[in-house]
Amino acid sequence: MMQLPQHHKPSKPSAPSCCSSWIRRSPPPSPPHKKPGGGGRSRYACRLVPLLVLTIYSLVTVLRIPSSSLVVTTADSERVERREDLEALKTHLPSNQNSLEAREETRSVASLPCSAFISGEAGYGEEGVLCCDRSHYRSDVCYLRGDVRTDPSTSSVLLYNAPRGSTPEKVRPYTRKFEDSIMSTIDEVSIVPVSGAYNASDGGALRRRCDVRHPRGVPAVVFSTGGYTGNVYHEFSDGLIPLFVTAQRFAGEVVFVVLEYHYWWLGRYGAVLEGLTNYKVVDFRSDRRVHCFDEMIVGLRIHGELVVDPKLMPNGKSIKDFQTLLHQGYSRASSSSSATPPVPLPLQAPPSRPCPRPPAKPKLLIFIRKQNRVLLNLPHVVTACRKAGFAPHVMNLRRQTPLPVIHAALASADAMVAVHGAAVTHFLFMRPGSVLLQIVPVGLDWAADAFYGKPAQQLGLEYLEYKVAPEESSLAAEYGLNSTVVRDPSVISSRGWWEMKKVYMDRQNVTVNMKRFGELLKAARTHLKNTTACAKGAGAATALR
């Protein structure tokens, strides 16, 4: 470029550098030998340089990303959706509202209590989980999530790709943990965590091949029907109700794996199990196949004696929901051979619905015993029931008496009378508003109230007690009316359950006083006349009577 003579060179203002501030300044005066606006072009060109550099850098960055990472696979999409659902569950808000509402801090799997997994409150995730909740005095319950496979040959459950640091666990899946003598008879399940793809215990062999691959999202619940199974009270209190508490949240999408499986048990309670599972029951001991699941619960949760505590249920279910399950199952079973469709049994009529006129004589069932706690003056009791305005029916149950038959009798009854014992458990078949009158022998006050009295009241029954006086007990003749055994049962009870059982349950019969018993019958009759919550509709009463 040709230089101007020195004496013609004008004073040149300092040109704006590319590193100068981007604050807009007034343009300097144009040199006299240049056209106006020439300096503006150089100034705008200087500003475009950094923009051009940024554009080039962005293009290079995009070109360096692998094409596969730009494609969202179906699995990735599913994982994203599950994570969003899990976050929504933790905050109790829909996923699309999480950005608008305060959310809880995300908790890791390791920080969650095992009970949260067992009850379903922790949600479902991809991480492997192995934990046990041993805090309850009635039962131990373990939870597994991941690649879970049964090994019947060793009474084991294997969890492959288990979380690092997992240790083997052993559990006896029965709900009487406090009773060592009975728990020693329950089969023990070993839970073996296996890290990685190989099973070191098998000499490095590949993981066991699945003979039966259960659908994803269908867990297993493992429990025992050993112990006191055979006693109807324990079959409900230790088995069926805890099974309902543990498994009903799965809405049928669950597989029951049973230890000490009894075919008669399945025949007796199959109608109830059909309401809890959509799948065949697996006999853990006899089925030698390897069953594979992605989730498993070993053991059953329990709330107490014949109790379903709504506060401990994730969906607020109660003992009334369990009773509905019984009604549906046994109504279906009793009508399966009938050509006419079953009439649904309403549990409670709306308060505003007028009560149908009660029958002339309410139906009362008397359950009798034959070996101990026998009601020695049964004929007088039957007569007293007739005089009080009831239509009494004596129920002489046998082990082989079908439960649908017992259910049909009690579902249509207005009152039930029984001496304390396992048969009182059948009050679960009665409608709310009906009357349960329990005859309580000497020394059994606490057991009668805890095992049957309180549960009956929670179900909505009118509960009455006839407490046997010392002179009405056969123990008075055996030990003496003024003996410690008769006058102070707490002395014997303090020696333990078995001593109490041996004296007050196994060696006692009763003779009730007709005057005192008649007063309770009148109270029961008055309740049935005055009750405002009708327990049955006229149609159901006609169909079941």
Side-chain angles (χ1 to χ4, degrees):
M1 181 177 181
M2 184 179 65
Q3 267 190 326
L4 294 174
Q6 191 70 24
H7 60 279
H8 290 292
K9 188 173 183 179
S11 62
K12 183 179 181 181
S14 60
S17 66
C18 295
C19 301
S20 62
S21 173
W22 289 98
I23 299 176
R24 185 175 182 87
R25 294 190 178 97
S26 299
S30 301
H33 65 282
K34 292 186 179 180
K35 295 181 180 180
R41 281 195 299 270
S42 65
R43 183 172 64 257
Y44 293 141
C46 184
R47 292 183 179 182
L48 288 174
V49 169
L51 294 176
L52 182 60
V53 171
L54 288 174
T55 303
I56 295 173
Y57 177 78
S58 300
L59 289 172
V60 171
T61 302
V62 172
L63 291 175
R64 289 178 60 188
I65 298 176
S67 60
S68 60
S69 65
L70 299 177
V71 179
V72 179
T73 63
T74 304
D76 292 337
S77 176
E78 291 175 353
R79 281 195 292 270
V80 171
E81 290 176 1
R82 278 195 292 270
R83 281 197 296 270
E84 290 178 350
D85 292 341
L86 180 59
E87 186 65 21
L89 180 62
K90 289 178 180 177
T91 59
H92 304 284
L93 296 168
S95 299
N96 58 3
Q97 294 183 13
N98 284 351
S99 59
L100 302 178
E101 304 286 350
R103 68 177 68 184
E104 296 179 3
E105 183 179 353
T106 302
R107 300 173 65 185
S108 65
V109 169
S111 68
L112 292 170
C114 194
S115 59
F117 294 101
I118 296 167
S119 64
E121 296 173 5
Y124 186 85
E126 295 298 322
E127 276 186 83
V129 177
L130 170 55
C131 64
C132 292
D133 182 0
R134 302 184 185 273
S135 62
H136 202 283
Y137 80 101
R138 287 292 300 264
S139 66
D140 293 331
V141 186
C142 294
Y143 176 86
L144 299 82
R145 187 173 72 195
D147 187 354
V148 183
R149 309 191 182 201
T150 62
D151 182 8
S153 63
T154 60
S155 294
S156 300
V157 174
L158 307 176
L159 175 61
Y160 290 96
N161 292 333
R164 182 173 299 178
S166 299
T167 58
E169 301 280 358
K170 293 182 181 293
V171 61
R172 299 182 189 271
Y174 191 62
T175 57
R176 297 192 75 83
K177 183 174 102 174
F178 63 93
E179 201 168 336
D180 294 338
S181 58
I182 199 67
M183 290 300 289
S184 65
T185 68
I186 303 298
D187 288 351
E188 188 176 63
V189 177
S190 297
I191 301 174
V192 182
V194 182
S195 301
Y198 296 90
N199 188 350
S201 63
D202 290 340
L206 287 172
R207 65 180 67 186
R208 297 184 182 277
R209 179 179 60 85
C210 293
D211 297 315
V212 181
R213 169 74 71 176
H214 293 273
R216 182 172 178 80
V218 178
V221 171
V222 182
F223 62 96
S224 172
T225 55
Y228 289 121
T229 300
N231 177 296
V232 67
Y233 169 79
H234 291 287
E235 287 167 2
F236 277 91
S237 185
D238 300 340
L240 291 175
I241 293 180
L243 183 61
F244 174 82
V245 168
T246 306
Q248 66 83 32
R249 70 180 178 89
F250 297 112
E253 290 301 298
V254 60
V255 176
F256 294 150
V257 180
V258 180
L259 282 76
E260 298 163 271
Y261 177 93
H262 304 287
Y263 284 102
W264 65 262
W265 178 84
L266 183 62
R268 189 171 178 82
Y269 296 110
V272 181
L273 299 180
E274 287 178 2
L276 291 173
T277 177
N278 301 327
Y279 302 87
K280 291 184 177 179
V281 174
V282 176
D283 182 349
F284 188 77
R285 179 186 292 172
S286 299
D287 191 337
R288 313 307 292 177
R289 298 174 297 175
V290 175
H291 289 259
C292 297
F293 303 89
D294 60 4
E295 189 179 9
M296 178 178 285
I297 297 173
V298 183
L300 300 177
R301 299 169 61 218
I302 183 169
H303 295 163
E305 307 295 338
L306 300 179
V307 169
V308 179
D309 188 345
K311 296 178 182 178
L312 300 178
M313 296 291 286
N315 47 19
K317 298 292 184 179
S318 70
I319 189 65
K320 293 182 180 180
D321 295 287
F322 177 75
Q323 188 190 52
T324 299
L325 178 70
L326 297 179
H327 284 325
Q328 292 173 344
Y330 288 122
S331 295
R332 184 170 55 247
S334 62
S335 61
S336 59
S337 59
S338 175
T340 58
V343 178
L345 180 67
L347 298 183
Q348 188 81 30
S352 59
R353 182 178 177 182
C355 295
R357 177 173 295 179
K361 290 188 177 181
K363 180 178 177 182
L364 181 147
L365 303 184
I366 304 172
F367 285 73
I368 63 173
R369 300 177 59 88
K370 292 185 176 180
Q371 296 182 350
N372 48 45
R373 283 162 279 157
V374 176
L375 187 56
L376 297 176
N377 57 341
L378 175 63
H380 296 89
V381 169
V382 173
T383 300
C385 291
R386 287 199 183 100
K387 288 183 178 179
F390 287 97
H393 301 264
V394 176
M395 298 291 291
N396 183 12
L397 300 184
R398 296 177 175 83
R399 182 62 194 172
Q400 62 270 27
T401 303
L403 275 180
V405 172
I406 303 173
H407 170 266
L410 277 170
S412 61
D414 301 285
M416 170 183 175
V417 173
V419 180
H420 173 79
V424 184
T425 309
H426 294 113
F427 77 81
L428 291 168
F429 296 156
M430 301 182 73
R431 301 181 313 274
S434 303
V435 177
L436 171 62
L437 197 166
Q438 182 178 198
I439 300 173
V440 183
V442 170
L444 299 179
D445 293 14
W446 175 84
D449 184 58
F451 296 168
Y452 303 116
K454 285 185 172 61
Q457 291 172 318
Q458 290 178 355
L459 195 58
L461 302 186
E462 177 71 9
Y463 177 65
L464 302 175
E465 272 188 355
Y466 179 92
K467 293 189 177 182
V468 173
E471 62 273 14
E472 298 168 4
S473 170
S474 63
L475 296 176
E478 183 176 355
Y479 293 95
L481 182 59
N482 295 319
S483 65
T484 302
V485 170
V486 176
R487 292 295 179 180
D488 192 2
S490 63
V491 174
I492 303 299
S493 300
S494 65
R495 300 174 186 173
W497 170 263
W498 291 108
E499 281 297 316
M500 185 277 290
K501 179 180 182 298
K502 183 171 63 176
V503 175
Y504 298 109
M505 299 185 75
D506 297 344
R507 300 176 64 172
Q508 181 175 194
N509 296 318
V510 299
T511 302
V512 300
N513 179 281
M514 286 297 99
K515 182 178 180 181
R516 289 203 300 125
F517 188 72
E519 291 174 354
L520 283 178
L521 290 175
K522 289 180 182 179
R525 190 73 172 89
T526 300
H527 166 77
L528 293 173
K529 286 181 178 178
N530 297 337
T531 182
T532 56
C534 305
K536 61 178 178 287
T542 303
L544 292 173
R545 285 185 181 277

